[in-house]
Amino acid sequence: MNITLVAGARPNFIKVAPIIEAITRQKARGMAINYRLIHTGQHYDTNLSARFFEELNIPIPDLNLEVGSGTQAEQTAAIMIGFEKELHQNPCDLVIVVGDVTSTMACAIVAKKAHIQVAHVEAGIRSGDLNMPEEINRMVTDSITDYFFTTSTYANAHLKRLGVPESKIFFVGNVMIDTLMKHAPRFKRPPLWEALGLSAKQYFVLTLHRPHNVDHPQELDQLIARIVSHSQGLPLIFPVHPRTQTLLAGLQVSYDNLHLIAPLGYLEFNYLVKHALAVITDSGGITEEATVMHVPCITLRDTTERPETCAMGTNILVGNDPKLMETAFNRLYSGQWQKGVIPELWDGQTATRIVDHLIALFKSS
């Protein structure tokens, strides 16, 4: 079995690492399974790409398409052109795409047009918000996928409503949590801990990158001011996404307890999350990691494609509603935050289940 595995952005790197390890273990046992790792270059910042490969022990990609920056259409086109050449030169039996970034959708389309089967890891999740590019990526990818590897019963139910046969749905758990659990003992305190005099549970981690939060300077300014006003003077550590950095450059954002820092590697960032009083974010993946680490998470979105982080985990949606935000912070300070439990099959063994299923499928075909 020859597999082509695609990674394009930070969340992808975290998800492909354990899949590569599971494939490597099976190969060491004598299984005839090989893979090529393709990095599309969708994320090209060192801290969002090369550093993650190094920290998570991901092998050097067999090919980097180096698509770089651009509009959604420009990136999609560049990825498709480069990936089509890759599949022509290196045919395979299966393309594995993960998550919901532009690379996921683009490479799935190219594979299907080349008559190659597609497996989607993290299939079936939906926010219902078509203003999110990721939602369109999910819908398109799942519409042409052959094998659906899901993280939750919510995703299973959604795929069944769409008419996907149960025989093609594999509830395996969350591969991102495989990486989190494996590397948790290696989380490391970043130098800024001492420099800023941080103490456990006495600071917040803030991340912002969604267009609806950062694309309008005045609204971004107001959002940050509102967050600062609820922080009770505790440090707000804000690793600034390159896209957000450009937008912040024109604002006069300056608060004594707001610390804008460069993007961190995986091990340092998750050290900060693990020891934070809470995370304030508009990311989906961080809500999953916070749930498993039992860290309160305030999500600046009205919808989520990961409802299990709210129903079972530590996540609360507040959007841009000042009253909801105030209520969330009051619950946090009063010690009334929901405790949360770890969702089913988020146990660190998801990648093993994925590869076992793929081997069984190809043996029976």
Side-chain angles (χ1 to χ4, degrees):
M1 185 194 324
N2 292 312
I3 294 171
T4 296
L5 185 58
V6 177
R10 174 191 178 275
N12 291 175
F13 310 149
I14 299 168
K15 293 164 189 172
V16 300
I19 296 173
I20 289 171
E21 291 182 11
I23 291 173
T24 302
R25 284 195 300 271
Q26 286 288 4
K27 188 169 183 176
R29 293 170 186 157
M31 193 63 61
I33 182 170
N34 302 293
Y35 74 91
R36 277 179 62 82
L37 175 60
I38 307 304
H39 180 3
T40 66
Q42 181 181 333
H43 267 180
Y44 47 90
D45 178 274
T46 300
N47 280 326
L48 292 177
S49 181
R51 190 169 176 185
F52 278 84
F53 275 76
E54 179 183 346
E55 290 188 336
L56 302 181
N57 300 315
I58 302 172
I60 296 173
D62 294 282
L63 177 67
N64 188 329
L65 300 181
E66 299 181 341
V67 300
S69 62
T71 67
Q72 292 280 327
E74 288 169 339
Q75 280 197 329
T76 301
I79 292 166
M80 292 181 73
I81 291 168
F83 194 59
E84 183 179 58
K85 292 177 181 177
E86 158 62 22
L87 291 184
H88 179 73
Q89 294 169 1
N90 298 282
C92 63
D93 303 303
L94 177 76
V95 169
I96 299 178
V97 294
V98 299
D100 52 20
V101 300
T102 301
S103 301
T104 306
M105 176 190 69
C107 292
I109 292 172
V110 170
K112 288 302 293 183
K113 289 194 173 186
H115 308 293
I116 297 170
Q117 291 188 314
V118 173
H120 184 198
V121 174
E122 203 179 78
I125 65 174
R126 295 290 189 278
S127 69
D129 183 359
L130 287 174
N131 290 315
M132 294 178 61
E134 294 89 347
E135 185 75 351
I136 297 167
N137 296 340
R138 296 174 197 127
M139 294 170 67
V140 173
T141 302
D142 282 343
S143 71
I144 57 177
T145 287
D146 296 285
Y147 306 116
F148 303 79
F149 293 99
T150 62
T151 61
S152 71
T153 55
Y154 293 96
N156 299 344
H158 182 78
L159 291 171
K160 291 173 185 176
R161 285 194 298 271
L162 290 175
V164 176
E166 287 194 40
S167 61
K168 292 184 176 294
I169 301 171
F170 303 91
F171 178 30
V172 292
N174 192 332
V175 75
M176 178 178 277
I177 305 307
D178 289 17
T179 296
L180 187 75
M181 289 183 170
K182 175 182 177 180
H183 293 282
R186 299 178 57 233
F187 292 168
K188 59 183 180 182
R189 181 181 295 181
L192 65 86
W193 184 277
E194 283 79 16
L196 298 178
L198 299 181
S199 300
K201 308 303 177 185
Q202 294 297 311
Y203 64 90
F204 295 96
V205 172
L206 170 64
T207 77
L208 293 170
H209 75 281
R210 300 282 178 191
H212 72 270
N213 280 327
V214 303
D215 274 6
H216 307 287
Q218 185 175 358
E219 293 178 17
L220 175 59
D221 198 11
Q222 292 173 351
L223 177 60
I224 292 175
R226 195 178 307 133
I227 293 168
V228 171
S229 72
H230 288 298
S231 66
Q232 294 192 351
L234 293 174
L236 283 156
I237 312 303
F238 186 1
V240 183
H241 190 284
R243 185 174 185 279
T244 311
Q245 180 64 61
T246 302
L247 296 162
L248 282 172
L251 297 176
Q252 299 291 323
V253 176
S254 178
Y255 299 95
D256 289 342
N257 66 323
L258 178 65
H259 304 283
L260 307 180
I261 65 171
L264 295 169
Y266 182 83
L267 302 178
E268 290 182 338
F269 178 76
N270 277 296
Y271 182 96
L272 286 183
V273 170
K274 181 177 180 179
H275 296 283
L277 175 62
V279 180
I280 307 161
T281 187
D282 58 11
S283 165
I286 291 173
T287 68
E288 296 174 314
E289 293 165 336
T291 282
V292 172
M293 290 190 278
H294 303 290
V295 175
C297 186
I298 299 172
T299 297
L300 305 172
R301 290 170 53 187
D302 297 314
T303 61
T304 179
E305 63 282 356
R306 296 164 169 88
E308 63 274 16
T309 65
C310 298
M312 302 175 64
T314 60
N315 184 28
I316 290 180
L317 301 180
V318 301
N320 287 328
D321 187 320
K323 291 188 179 299
L324 289 178
M325 184 181 293
E326 181 179 8
T327 299
F329 275 98
N330 287 341
R331 287 179 62 182
L332 179 67
Y333 294 132
S334 64
Q336 296 178 352
W337 201 268
Q338 59 200 47
K339 298 301 180 185
V341 296
I342 297 177
E344 184 181 0
L345 295 185
W346 292 22
D347 58 3
Q349 299 301 315
T350 294
T352 297
R353 287 188 282 266
I354 290 171
V355 175
D356 286 347
H357 280 304
L358 289 176
I359 289 172
L361 286 167
F362 274 80
K363 280 184 175 179
S364 64
S365 64

